[in-house]
Amino acid sequence: DNYGVASNEYGRFVAVGTHRLGFTDHLTGEAHGEFLRDQQSVGLSAALLWPAAGVLSSSIAGSRSKGGDGSLLALGFERQSRWLSFGGSAQLATERFTQLGLQPGQPAPRQLGQAFISMATGGYGSFGLNYAHQNYRDRDEVKLVSASYSTTLGKLGFLSLSVLRSLGADAKTAVGLIFTRSLGENTSASASATRQADSRQAQLQIQRNLPAGSGVGYRLLAGTGDAERREAGVSLQNDVGTYGLETARFQGQTSYRGNASGGIAMLRGDTFLSRRIDDSFAVVKVPDYPNVRVYADNQIVARTGADGSALLPRLRPYQKNSVRIEQADLPLDAQIDSMQLDAVPYFRSGALLQFPVRRSRGALMTIILEHGEPLPAGALVRIAGQAEEFPTGLRGEVYLTGLEANNRLRINWRGQSCDIVVSFPATTEPLPHLGTHACIGVKP
């Protein structure tokens, strides 16, 4: 209660629960309940996709309170396509029906209805028309009709025009115009003007949105007309939180606000500090490879830490999220089976994405014969215990992968063979050289 005026002032305790279940690809059901000490309400909803027509939805609900029992019925239809969308909904309730959002003793609206249609044309913009009717028991009914038009002005920007008119004895019309222009990848400027019968207002705003990963954003706003308005804000985002500072001046009063938010995620024994997690998340593992860039939907969102792990705090639930890593951040000896994985997490749950990347433990070495000549090109080298054979190149050089700390090599050339022992040192070099080794018993 009194949000923005009083601190920590709350009303009644309430418990709310919703369970949604997809029975088929075309039918989704939902159960919802709201429970207070002196009132309770429960309801069932369903949404049916009819591919030839659109989405049909329906809801029924009942409630109990000190004022008596009540019920609610709602129906809706919506169809969306590339160039034409339309639909509508209607809700009917008895006088004693109650739910969260209605004050104690306040009668439920008799009827709420809405209808809309929108059309997108190729090069001539998009049109929209909307009608809303709200019929109350304790005050006058409300009827609103609105129309909108938006279009792209080439490279100049985007223009949107809207007209809203309230119907009835006290009819009023409001007109709004907004022009938006891109100033860069995350920065835009907009100018807007609204006019009603007794009010005029104009605003200019420049803002830079926070990136998907770490970065800085800001917003500057100036308004003139019936009331002068000034606002400024800056925000910062890193891997463990989002922070902001804002100031505003309106009608001669100045206010300030600061905020900080973050989160903690735990998955399979690992704990991560992160930005606030509102939906779903994933833990990316690229074992033993730190500072590797991680992309979600082609936007950089994180870098792996010292253990090769990174947290992605913003994934869409029940949808395919394409996550990939930057190949340029991996050393030359990394064997990569896949650079991209798809995550489809449950709502507000975590997914583990283990990228199949491992060190090839590869190295160069030079092999010479007994009298100092290089091992002929084409000779085959095999690591004991492995099936793969590595051919020798010019000057007796051979590139080996899959090496252990200590290795026994078998060298074959025209029916002749020899064995040598080599060590693979612990090193961060992308292509170490193991030195020169002699093959005794093989002749050119």
Side-chain angles (χ1 to χ4, degrees), residues 100-130:
L100 291 177
L102 294 175
Q103 296 298 320
Q106 179 184 0
R110 181 179 287 107
Q111 179 264 330
L112 301 177
Q114 181 186 17
F116 76 92
I117 183 171
S118 62
M119 181 175 64
T121 64
Y124 301 97
S126 301
F127 301 85
L129 185 65
N130 187 83

Coordinates of all heavy atoms in Angstrom, one line a residue, residues 100-130:
L100 N -8.2 -10.7 -6.7 CA -7.1 -9.8 -6.4 C -7.2 -8.6 -7.4 O -7.4 -8.8 -8.6 CB -5.8 -10.4 -6.5 CG -5.4 -11.4 -5.4 CD1 -4.0 -12.0 -5.6 CD2 -5.5 -10.7 -4.0
G101 N -7.1 -7.4 -6.9 CA -7.2 -6.2 -7.7 C -8.5 -5.5 -7.4 O -8.6 -4.3 -7.7
L102 N -9.5 -6.2 -6.9 CA -10.7 -5.5 -6.4 C -10.6 -5.2 -4.9 O -10.3 -6.1 -4.2 CB -11.9 -6.4 -6.7 CG -12.3 -6.6 -8.2 CD1 -13.4 -7.6 -8.3 CD2 -12.6 -5.3 -8.9
Q103 N -11.0 -4.0 -4.5 CA -11.0 -3.7 -3.1 C -12.1 -4.4 -2.4 O -13.2 -4.7 -3.0 CB -11.1 -2.2 -2.9 CG -9.9 -1.4 -3.5 CD -8.6 -1.8 -2.8 OE1 -8.5 -2.0 -1.6 NE2 -7.5 -1.9 -3.6
P104 N -12.0 -4.7 -1.1 CA -13.1 -5.3 -0.3 C -14.3 -4.5 -0.4 O -14.4 -3.3 -0.3 CB -12.5 -5.3 1.1 CG -11.0 -5.3 1.0 CD -10.8 -4.5 -0.3
G105 N -15.4 -5.2 -0.8 CA -16.7 -4.5 -1.0 C -16.9 -3.9 -2.3 O -18.1 -3.5 -2.6
Q106 N -15.9 -3.8 -3.2 CA -16.1 -3.3 -4.5 C -16.7 -4.3 -5.4 O -16.3 -5.4 -5.6 CB -14.7 -2.8 -5.1 CG -14.8 -2.2 -6.5 CD -13.4 -1.9 -7.1 OE1 -12.4 -2.2 -6.4 NE2 -13.4 -1.4 -8.3
P107 N -17.9 -3.9 -6.1 CA -18.5 -4.9 -7.0 C -17.7 -5.2 -8.2 O -17.0 -4.3 -8.7 CB -19.8 -4.3 -7.3 CG -19.6 -2.8 -7.2 CD -18.6 -2.7 -6.0
A108 N -17.7 -6.4 -8.7 CA -17.0 -6.7 -10.0 C -17.6 -6.0 -11.2 O -18.8 -5.8 -11.2 CB -17.0 -8.2 -10.2
P109 N -16.8 -5.7 -12.2 CA -17.4 -5.1 -13.4 C -18.4 -6.1 -14.0 O -18.2 -7.3 -14.0 CB -16.2 -4.9 -14.3 CG -15.0 -4.8 -13.4 CD -15.4 -5.7 -12.2
R110 N -19.5 -5.5 -14.5 CA -20.5 -6.4 -15.1 C -20.0 -7.0 -16.4 O -20.2 -8.2 -16.6 CB -21.8 -5.5 -15.4 CG -22.9 -6.3 -16.1 CD -24.1 -5.5 -16.3 NE -24.8 -5.1 -15.1 CZ -24.8 -3.9 -14.5 NH1 -24.1 -2.9 -15.1 NH2 -25.5 -3.7 -13.4
Q111 N -19.3 -6.2 -17.2 CA -18.8 -6.8 -18.5 C -17.6 -6.0 -18.9 O -17.5 -4.8 -18.8 CB -20.0 -6.6 -19.5 CG -19.6 -7.1 -20.9 CD -19.1 -6.0 -21.8 OE1 -19.5 -4.8 -21.7 NE2 -18.2 -6.3 -22.8
L112 N -16.6 -6.7 -19.4 CA -15.4 -6.2 -20.1 C -15.3 -6.8 -21.4 O -15.3 -8.0 -21.6 CB -14.2 -6.4 -19.2 CG -14.1 -6.0 -17.8 CD1 -12.8 -6.4 -17.1 CD2 -14.2 -4.4 -17.7
G113 N -15.1 -5.9 -22.5 CA -15.0 -6.4 -23.8 C -14.0 -5.7 -24.6 O -13.7 -4.5 -24.3
Q114 N -13.4 -6.3 -25.6 CA -12.4 -5.7 -26.4 C -12.4 -6.4 -27.8 O -12.6 -7.6 -27.9 CB -11.0 -5.8 -25.8 CG -9.9 -5.2 -26.6 CD -8.5 -5.4 -26.0 OE1 -8.4 -6.3 -25.2 NE2 -7.5 -4.7 -26.4
A115 N -12.1 -5.6 -28.8 CA -12.0 -6.1 -30.2 C -10.9 -5.3 -30.9 O -10.7 -4.1 -30.7 CB -13.3 -6.0 -31.0
F116 N -10.1 -6.0 -31.8 CA -9.1 -5.3 -32.5 C -8.9 -5.9 -33.8 O -9.2 -7.0 -34.1 CB -7.7 -5.4 -31.7 CG -7.1 -6.7 -31.8 CD1 -6.1 -7.0 -32.8 CD2 -7.4 -7.8 -30.9 CE1 -5.6 -8.2 -32.9 CE2 -6.8 -9.0 -31.0 CZ -5.9 -9.3 -32.0
I117 N -8.3 -5.1 -34.7 CA -7.9 -5.5 -36.0 C -6.6 -4.7 -36.4 O -6.6 -3.5 -36.1 CB -9.0 -5.4 -37.1 CG1 -8.5 -5.9 -38.4 CG2 -9.4 -3.9 -37.2 CD1 -9.7 -6.0 -39.4
S118 N -5.7 -5.4 -37.0 CA -4.5 -4.7 -37.5 C -4.1 -5.3 -38.8 O -4.3 -6.4 -39.1 CB -3.3 -4.9 -36.5 OG -3.0 -6.2 -36.3
M119 N -3.5 -4.4 -39.7 CA -3.1 -4.8 -41.0 C -1.7 -4.2 -41.3 O -1.5 -3.0 -41.1 CB -4.1 -4.3 -42.0 CG -3.8 -4.7 -43.5 SD -5.1 -4.3 -44.6 CE -5.0 -2.5 -44.5
A120 N -0.8 -5.0 -41.8 CA 0.5 -4.6 -42.2 C 0.6 -4.6 -43.8 O 0.3 -5.7 -44.4 CB 1.6 -5.5 -41.6
T121 N 1.0 -3.5 -44.3 CA 1.2 -3.5 -45.8 C 2.7 -3.4 -46.1 O 3.5 -3.1 -45.2 CB 0.5 -2.2 -46.3 OG1 1.2 -1.0 -45.8 CG2 -1.0 -2.2 -46.0
G122 N 3.0 -3.8 -47.3 CA 4.4 -3.9 -47.7 C 5.2 -2.6 -47.4 O 6.0 -2.5 -46.5
G123 N 5.0 -1.6 -48.3 CA 5.7 -0.4 -48.1 C 4.9 0.8 -47.7 O 5.4 2.0 -47.8
Y124 N 3.7 0.6 -47.2 CA 2.8 1.7 -46.8 C 2.5 1.7 -45.3 O 1.6 2.4 -44.9 CB 1.5 1.6 -47.6 CG 1.7 1.6 -49.1 CD1 1.8 0.5 -49.8 CD2 1.9 2.9 -49.7 CE1 2.0 0.5 -51.2 CE2 2.1 2.9 -51.1 CZ 2.2 1.7 -51.8 OH 2.4 1.8 -53.2
G125 N 3.3 1.0 -44.5 CA 3.1 1.0 -43.1 C 2.1 0.0 -42.5 O 1.6 -0.8 -43.2
S126 N 1.8 0.2 -41.2 CA 0.8 -0.7 -40.5 C -0.3 0.1 -39.9 O -0.1 1.2 -39.4 CB 1.6 -1.5 -39.4 OG 2.6 -2.2 -40.0
F127 N -1.5 -0.5 -40.0 CA -2.7 0.2 -39.5 C -3.3 -0.7 -38.4 O -3.2 -1.9 -38.4 CB -3.8 0.4 -40.6 CG -3.3 1.2 -41.8 CD1 -2.6 0.6 -42.8 CD2 -3.5 2.5 -41.8 CE1 -2.1 1.3 -43.9 CE2 -3.1 3.3 -42.9 CZ -2.4 2.7 -43.9
G128 N -3.9 0.0 -37.4 CA -4.5 -0.7 -36.3 C -5.8 0.0 -35.8 O -5.9 1.2 -35.8
L129 N -6.8 -0.8 -35.4 CA -8.0 -0.3 -34.9 C -8.4 -1.1 -33.7 O -8.4 -2.3 -33.7 CB -9.1 -0.3 -35.9 CG -10.5 0.4 -35.6 CD1 -10.3 1.9 -35.3 CD2 -11.5 0.1 -36.7
N130 N -8.8 -0.4 -32.5 CA -9.1 -1.1 -31.3 C -10.4 -0.5 -30.7 O -10.5 0.7 -30.7 CB -7.9 -1.1 -30.3 CG -8.2 -1.9 -29.1 OD1 -7.9 -3.1 -29.1 ND2 -8.6 -1.3 -28.0

